[in-house]
Amino acid sequence: MPAARRSPGRSARRRARTRRRRLALTLGGTAALAVLGTAGFTLLHSTAAQSPEAGSTTQARPVPPVSESPEPVRTEENPPPQTAPPQTAPPAAPQVVQHGSGSFTTAAASGTTVGTGGTVRRYQVEVEDGINIDPKAAAAAVQAVLADKRSWTADKRNSFKLVSSGSYDFTVKIASPDTTDKICGAGGLDTKGEVNCDVGKQVVVNSKRWLTGSPQFDGSLDDYRALIVNHEVGHRIGHGHEDCPGPGKPAPAMMQQIYGLKGCTANAWPYDAKGSYLSGPSVP
């Protein structure tokens, strides 16, 4: 009996179903292998990182804890706060004691002879008690002035020596305004509580001028003290008052600069650095 013929359409459909089953198996196996491969790689990498035999590994930096009060972001709209500089108190103005005790302390200080002149003038420095001026510091200041090459030693005739005891030729005496007026008035001079004088064996320095200078003198306080010493010691060695020699020129040390400079420039020294005398017209 002849075999029955298969329908062509049925066979085609059967072959299509077979191909679809094979394709599904192939794709499923590939996906499974991919999953297994990924899991295996992850497990292997994790094991290697944790194993001490796997060598050193770079460790991640720990994340710092978040501050409860984080620093504000600095921008032009939010600049950092400005810290005010520390306040420096201005120097206190020197206190001038109008009326001292009337008694004096001689500075316990002495020095070598300054200058090459044949006439050596010995002097002491005395400071009135209670006027807040240190006698030893004052003596050092006076000595520095007379030792300067621009002072009276430049005349090659006079030398000076600071002494604290024994004989002396004159005293540099720093006194309160009232005491200055009293001492100078005894010699017939009116200092009006403002200026200095040379009387008898005494160069009397008004403490007001020593501590505050002069409103007419635009140099330093040290320079004005030098002017006081040079002017009054200049009287001691025979110099009289002088006037301004001309506009723009240095005022002579023997000019009464406290009363105005008359066009001259303030100057504390009788000689310049080259040894030339800074003179002016004599005042009658």
Side-chain angles (χ1 to χ4, degrees):
M1 183 176 178
R5 290 186 176 182
R6 298 178 180 177
S7 170
R10 186 182 300 173
S11 298
R13 286 193 295 273
R14 188 180 295 116
R15 286 194 298 271
R17 285 195 296 270
T18 301
R19 285 197 297 271
R20 285 198 294 272
R21 284 197 297 270
R22 288 177 179 173
L23 179 59
L25 288 173
T26 302
L27 291 175
T30 303
L33 286 175
V35 171
L36 288 173
T38 303
F41 176 80
T42 303
L43 178 62
L44 179 61
H45 180 74
S46 174
T47 304
Q50 294 175 5
S51 172
E53 297 178 357
S56 62
T57 59
T58 302
Q59 300 297 314
R61 295 181 181 178
V63 178
V66 178
S67 171
E68 295 181 358
S69 302
E71 286 290 322
V73 178
R74 304 304 183 192
T75 65
E76 292 183 0
E77 293 77 14
N78 182 26
Q82 298 297 319
T83 303
Q87 297 296 319
T88 302
Q95 184 177 4
V96 177
V97 177
Q98 185 67 27
H99 188 84
S101 66
S103 62
F104 287 81
T105 295
T106 301
S110 58
T112 58
T113 301
V114 296
T116 59
T119 302
V120 180
R121 300 177 186 272
R122 295 163 57 91
Y123 67 96
Q124 291 183 338
V125 174
E126 299 178 9
V127 176
E128 187 177 8
D129 298 325
I131 63 172
N132 303 321
I133 295 175
D134 178 58
K136 193 170 184 178
V142 173
Q143 183 184 33
V145 171
L146 293 177
D148 194 287
K149 65 181 182 180
R150 297 167 293 174
S151 190
W152 293 111
T153 57
D155 66 7
K156 309 300 183 184
R157 297 190 300 272
N158 292 282
S159 299
F160 301 92
K161 181 177 176 61
L162 173 65
V163 298
S164 58
S165 60
S167 62
Y168 58 89
D169 298 287
F170 65 96
T171 336
V172 176
K173 189 169 286 189
I174 303 177
S176 64
D178 286 350
T179 303
T180 297
D181 286 350
K182 183 177 180 180
I183 296 172
C184 298
L189 301 173
D190 184 6
T191 47
K192 299 180 176 63
E194 293 291 336
V195 295
N196 320 289
C197 77
D198 171 63
V199 57
K201 291 179 67 172
Q202 303 170 107
V203 168
V204 186
V205 178
N206 188 319
S207 64
K208 182 176 182 180
R209 300 278 71 86
W210 186 262
L211 292 172
T212 66
S214 165
Q216 299 293 338
F217 189 89
D218 57 4
S220 68
L221 181 59
D222 285 341
D223 276 351
Y224 190 72
R225 289 174 177 176
L227 175 59
I228 293 172
V229 173
N230 285 321
H231 186 93
E232 301 304 334
V233 171
H235 286 313
R236 293 295 314 160
I237 62 178
H239 291 269
H241 285 142
E242 299 176 9
D243 211 345
C244 175
K249 294 185 178 181
M254 296 311 300
M255 179 179 174
Q256 292 179 293
Q257 297 181 42
I258 194 171
Y259 297 129
L261 297 176
K262 300 180 181 179
C264 275
T265 59
N267 167 56
W269 305 98
Y271 290 83
D272 65 17
K274 297 179 180 179
S276 298
Y277 183 62
L278 301 173
S279 64
S282 296
V283 175

